[in-house]
């Protein structure tokens, strides 16, 4: 049993509080000299109508210390517990071995679905740097929720609907060439679209609208072209996801909801929420200080928001989600606030389970990625550059590497991914090659490198049998064990706040702590028992680093 639970049970035995409740209240003191775990007595003070310090003093003297806990001391309103270091090391490391790949996880989410809408690319448009945060944050959340026992549903809500596809067909028929597009892919589609806009006349616009109407009416020729544009785009998108190890369970995009919006409109009408405004059907949100949510345009066409509402209903029906997350840039804050409010006004209590997981912008040090400046840097180009640059570094650092292509890929992608996962989501990310690829900085490659270092130590010798934990009392070992012990809480908190960076930060702390241990304490000590204890700690660290890297979507190569 872990220490938190045994302390919680000992406190529970002396008080009116349930052990689970106590476990929630227990804190790790900021100052390590205060002890390893602290229990604040404020909650009990309310129940017992006594001053917290008096309660703390009584509790400290009456409590039966669980095995492995050395002391319980009252300090102000807190009871501070200090563990026996050897017992704590044993408990932490044994738990890491016992739980294996599940370490830091739980079955909290068992039997529940979490829908995660991320990346959600647009057809006939290139994936650019602006898609990176959504893709990697969504992917990390997917893995974190899965670790917490949920069944995540990764959804790519494709942008595959809108009048632009009528224009695309017009342009293709006028100027396009099949072979060129098969060859050049999305770039060629974009060229056609741009040319349409440059040369557009009112007649062209009318004809394009007619083509879009044909898509809506399922006309075979229009559908064939539209489907082909989709295939061309998805082929490229799949290559990028494959490179990054990103997976989706559903590709139901905007067009999937074409026949699923009627019921939304009917229900809105029945509930008297629709209002006619200059020919359009809207939901008035003035009471909530927001502009109206437009449901149907005056020509009867549906909008982005209408499709999102229909998609939310569909997801609720299909998955009965515990939560439905939308990993989308802050620019769309208003859009989500508006239609979440509409679902709430329709009287669906699950509106509270819809959550916009917003994030800031990625911009280059020199502004190069700024979408505000209209400057689209293609994600594929950045990925390719990251892999190439990493390969160059690798060849210099480890010229004899067996599998340089695979490692350059894992580490190059890791560098890029980590950059979007190391700060709170809302913070804008500044992208700078030197920072991203610095193997000694707070980067993905640094953690990957640390993991590979631990693997390399273990290739020399594996730990064997039970370690003598009383030998792990030096400051570096103690600190490292503390970091490993804190990992499960970081995963749980990352899930609660939808903030994967809480895992990345913890993983970084473990890596830094391991490197201090590595440099200060000779792992391959002459004394066999000491060596075995240190190898055991190294092995436990390797395991947790691999889990942590996996949770944020980075590969953990064994050699670098
Ligand atoms: N395709 C949209 C865009 O690129 C993002 C879609 C986000 N998901 C959603 N359900 N609205 O802006």
């Amino acid at each position: 049993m872990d220490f938190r639970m045994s302390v919680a049970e000992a406190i529970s035995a002396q008080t009116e509080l349930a052990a689970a409740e106590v476990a929630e209240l227990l804190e790790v003191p900021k100052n390590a000299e205060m002890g390893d775990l602290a229990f604040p007595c404020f909650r009990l003070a309310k129940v017992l109508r006594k001053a917290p310090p008096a309660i703390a003093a009584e509790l400290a003297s009456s409590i039966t210390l669980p095995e492995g806990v050395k002391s319980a001391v009252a300090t102000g309103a807190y009871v501070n517990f200090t563990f026996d270091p050897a017992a704590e090391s044993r408990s932490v490391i044994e738990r890491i071995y016992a739980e294996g790949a599940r370490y830091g996880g739980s079955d909290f989410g068992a039997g529940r679905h979490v829908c995660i809408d991320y990346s959600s690319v647009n057809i006939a448009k290139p994936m650019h740097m602006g898609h990176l945060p959504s893709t990697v944050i969504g992917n990390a959340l997917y893995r974190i929720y899965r670790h917490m026992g949920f069944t995540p549903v990764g959804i790519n809500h494709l942008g595959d609907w809108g009048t632009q596809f009528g224009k695309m067909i017009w342009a293709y028929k006028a100027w396009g060439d099949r072979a060129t597009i098969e060859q050049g892919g999305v770039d060629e589609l974009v060229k056609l679209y741009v040319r349409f806009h440059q040369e557009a006349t009112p007649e062209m616009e009318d004809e394009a609208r007619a083509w879009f109407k044909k898509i809506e009416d399922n006309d075979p020729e229009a559908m064939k072209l539209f489907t082909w544009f989709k295939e061309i785009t998805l082929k490229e998108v799949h290559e990028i996801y494959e490179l990054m190890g990103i997976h989706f369970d559903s590709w139901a995009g905007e067009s999937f909801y074409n026949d699923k919006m009627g019921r939304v409109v009917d229900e809105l009408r029945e509930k008297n929420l629709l209002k006619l405004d200059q020919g359009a059907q809207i939901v008035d949100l003035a009471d909530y200080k927001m502009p109206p949510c437009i449901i149907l345009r005056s020509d009867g066409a549906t909008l982005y928001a209408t499709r999102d509402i229909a998609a939310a209903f569909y997801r609720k029906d299909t998955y009965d989600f515990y939560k439905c997350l939308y990993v989308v840039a802050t620019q769309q804050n208003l859009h989500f606030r508006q239609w979440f409010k509409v679902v709430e006004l329709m009287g669906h209590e699950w509106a509270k389970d819809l959550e916009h997981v917003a994030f800031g912008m990625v911009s280059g040090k020199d502004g190069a990625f700024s979408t505000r400046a209209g400057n689209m840097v293609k994600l594929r180009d950045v990925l390719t550059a990251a892999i190439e640059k990493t390969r160059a570094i690798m060849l210099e650092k480890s010229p004899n590497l067996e599998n340089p292509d695979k490692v350059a890929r894992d580490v190059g992608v890791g560098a890029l991914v980590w950059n979007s996962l190391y700060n709170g989501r809302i913070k804008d990310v500044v992208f700078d090659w030197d920072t991203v690829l610095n193997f000694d900085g707070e980067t993905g490659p640094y953690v990957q490198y640390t993991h590979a270092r631990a693997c390399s130590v273990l290739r020399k010798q594996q730990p064997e049998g039970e370690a003598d934990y009383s030998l792990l009392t030096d400051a570096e070992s103690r600190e490292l064990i503390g970091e490993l012990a804190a990992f499960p809480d970081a995963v749980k908190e990352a899930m609660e706040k939808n903030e994967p960076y809480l895992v990345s930060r913890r993983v970084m702390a473990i890596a830094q702590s391991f490197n201090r241990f590595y440099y200060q304490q000779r792992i391959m000590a002459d004394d066999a028992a000491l060596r075995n204890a240190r190898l055991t700690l190294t092995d436990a660290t390797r395991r947790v680093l691999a889990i942590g890297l996996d949770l944020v979507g980075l590969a953990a190569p064994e050699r670098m």
Side-chain angles (χ1 to χ4, degrees):
M1 179 161 43
D2 77 271
F3 276 53
R4 182 183 284 256
M5 256 348 265
S6 48
V7 168
E9 280 180 7
I11 294 173
S12 170
Q14 303 289 318
T15 60
E16 304 283 295
L17 303 175
E21 198 181 340
V22 177
E24 284 289 317
L25 292 172
L26 285 168
E27 303 169 2
V28 177
K30 296 246 148 43
N31 177 356
E33 310 209 325
M34 301 296 282
D36 297 299
L37 210 53
F39 178 67
C41 296
F42 306 103
R43 173 82 55 91
L44 278 177
K46 286 209 191 99
V47 190
L48 301 174
R49 296 172 178 281
K50 266 200 236 171
I55 299 173
E58 263 171 49
L59 188 59
S61 63
S62 65
I63 197 164
T64 315
L65 291 180
E67 206 189 307
V69 178
K70 258 191 350 203
S71 64
V73 178
T75 313
Y78 290 83
V79 182
N80 293 323
F81 296 87
T82 304
F83 306 150
D84 165 36
E88 194 205 7
S89 306
R90 171 195 301 280
S91 135
V92 173
I93 292 175
E94 281 182 354
R95 180 170 168 201
I96 293 169
Y97 275 104
E99 295 184 8
R102 300 280 318 135
Y103 181 66
S106 78
D107 53 10
F108 174 77
R112 293 164 169 169
H113 286 92
V114 169
C115 292
I116 311 178
D117 179 322
Y118 58 107
S119 203
S120 298
V121 293
N122 299 319
I123 296 304
K125 293 207 186 126
M127 254 182 115
H128 56 79
M129 274 301 275
H131 290 106
L132 183 66
S134 172
T135 307
V136 307
I137 294 170
N139 179 49
L141 290 174
Y142 187 97
R143 289 154 180 271
I144 290 169
Y145 274 95
R146 189 171 56 190
H147 207 56
M148 296 302 289
F150 288 91
T151 304
V153 185
I155 305 173
N156 202 319
H157 186 76
L158 297 176
D160 61 358
W161 198 248
T163 48
Q164 71 270 28
F165 297 108
K167 297 176 186 172
M168 292 281 332
I169 293 183
W170 193 99
Y172 173 71
K173 290 188 70 79
W175 310 306
D177 163 64
R178 192 163 192 106
T180 314
I181 293 176
E182 298 278 356
Q183 263 281 311
V186 176
D187 286 350
E188 291 298 324
L189 293 177
V190 173
K191 276 189 205 158
L192 288 176
Y193 188 65
V194 168
R195 180 161 173 199
F196 184 94
H197 274 269
Q198 281 165 348
E199 301 185 16
T201 62
E203 292 80 58
M204 279 164 66
E205 299 276 3
D206 282 343
E207 287 173 29
R209 246 190 301 279
W211 272 115
F212 180 59
K213 180 83 177 50
K214 284 190 180 179
I215 302 178
E216 289 188 294
D217 297 342
N218 251 317
D219 167 81
E221 187 190 2
M223 279 318 282
K224 211 172 139 195
L225 288 170
F226 174 55
T227 311
W228 179 56
F229 296 155
K230 250 173 118 155
E231 283 166 7
I232 294 281
T233 313
L234 290 182
K235 184 169 159 270
E236 288 189 29
V237 163
H238 278 300
E239 284 166 14
I240 294 180
Y241 291 146
E242 161 105 34
L243 197 61
M244 299 178 70
I246 309 274
H247 160 86
F248 293 93
D249 303 292
S250 160
W251 296 82
E254 294 187 35
S255 71
F256 179 75
Y257 300 99
N258 282 346
D259 60 357
K260 299 178 180 62
M261 284 172 288
R263 75 171 257 212
V264 172
V265 177
D266 291 346
E267 189 181 323
L268 282 164
R269 193 167 283 128
E270 254 164 52
K271 294 185 171 162
N272 268 323
L273 289 163
L274 284 186
K275 223 165 105 174
L276 198 61
D277 183 58
Q278 299 172 26
Q281 296 286 344
I282 62 155
V283 177
D284 187 357
L285 298 174
D287 284 352
Y288 309 96
K289 301 201 168 40
M290 287 187 272
C293 184
I294 307 173
I295 302 294
L296 293 176
R297 273 201 328 232
S298 52
D299 63 2
T302 56
L303 288 101
Y304 184 45
T306 325
R307 283 166 199 273
D308 258 330
I309 298 173
F313 276 78
Y314 177 81
R315 292 174 192 176
K316 188 66 196 171
D317 287 346
T318 310
Y319 307 109
D320 192 24
F321 55 72
Y322 165 77
K323 271 188 191 174
C324 181
L325 310 179
Y326 298 84
V327 188
V328 184
T330 48
Q331 278 100 322
Q332 296 193 27
N333 273 351
L334 179 63
H335 164 73
F336 286 103
R337 279 178 45 227
Q338 284 179 302
W339 76 259
F340 287 180
K341 183 53 97 183
V342 171
V343 178
E344 186 192 318
L345 292 173
M346 290 169 94
H348 297 290
E349 59 82 32
W350 51 265
K352 67 174 187 346
D353 305 324
L354 302 167
E355 197 171 328
H356 178 202
V357 178
F359 56 83
M361 283 206 324
V362 191
S363 56
K365 209 175 164 193
D366 47 6
F369 298 130
S370 158
T371 40
R372 240 178 245 157
N375 206 339
M376 301 285 207
V377 175
K378 282 191 284 174
L379 182 52
R380 175 198 287 275
D381 294 344
V382 182
L383 278 166
T384 312
I387 295 170
E388 281 316 312
K389 285 174 194 258
T390 306
R391 193 198 312 271
I393 300 174
M394 303 280 8
L395 288 178
E396 205 174 292
K397 267 182 131 74
S398 331
N400 301 322
L401 204 61
E402 246 170 53
N403 211 338
D405 287 343
K406 168 103 173 55
V407 177
R409 195 188 102 161
D410 287 348
V411 178
V413 171
L416 214 54
V417 166
W418 186 271
N419 196 237
S420 287
L421 292 177
Y422 201 53
N423 287 298
R425 283 183 273 110
I426 298 301
K427 215 173 150 202
D428 289 347
V429 176
V430 177
F431 186 89
D432 165 30
W433 282 118
D434 293 336
T435 317
V436 169
L437 290 178
N438 180 357
F439 283 38
D440 301 315
E442 294 187 12
T443 61
Y446 171 86
V447 179
Q448 288 172 313
Y449 196 70
T450 306
H451 170 266
R453 165 174 283 164
C455 290
S456 139
V457 170
L458 293 161
R459 273 194 297 273
K460 289 187 203 117
Q461 193 179 341
Q462 288 282 325
E464 241 175 74
E466 162 128 342
D468 179 350
Y469 292 100
S470 70
L471 298 173
L472 297 176
T473 47
D474 60 275
E476 287 77 22
S477 302
R478 297 288 303 141
E479 185 198 294
L480 177 53
I481 289 163
E483 295 294 353
L484 294 173
F487 181 75
D489 275 357
V491 180
K492 180 159 170 265
E493 202 187 341
M495 177 209 79
E496 287 163 353
K497 298 188 172 151
N498 294 316
E499 280 284 20
Y501 89 101
L502 293 168
V503 174
S504 318
R505 292 264 163 179
R506 174 61 48 200
V507 171
M508 176 57 67
I510 293 171
Q512 288 172 332
S513 184
F514 175 75
N515 282 318
R516 281 191 287 274
F517 163 73
Y518 177 88
Y519 285 116
Q520 301 294 324
Q521 306 298 332
R522 210 156 65 84
I523 296 176
M524 297 308 267
D526 296 333
D527 178 75
L530 183 58
R531 188 166 67 237
N532 197 47
R534 288 182 179 164
L535 283 167
T536 305
L537 179 54
T538 303
D539 192 29
T541 306
R542 168 191 71 82
R543 287 159 184 257
V544 180
L545 285 177
I547 296 169
L549 284 168
D550 183 63
L551 286 182
V552 291
L554 269 74
E558 291 183 9
R559 293 169 200 257
M560 273 174 72

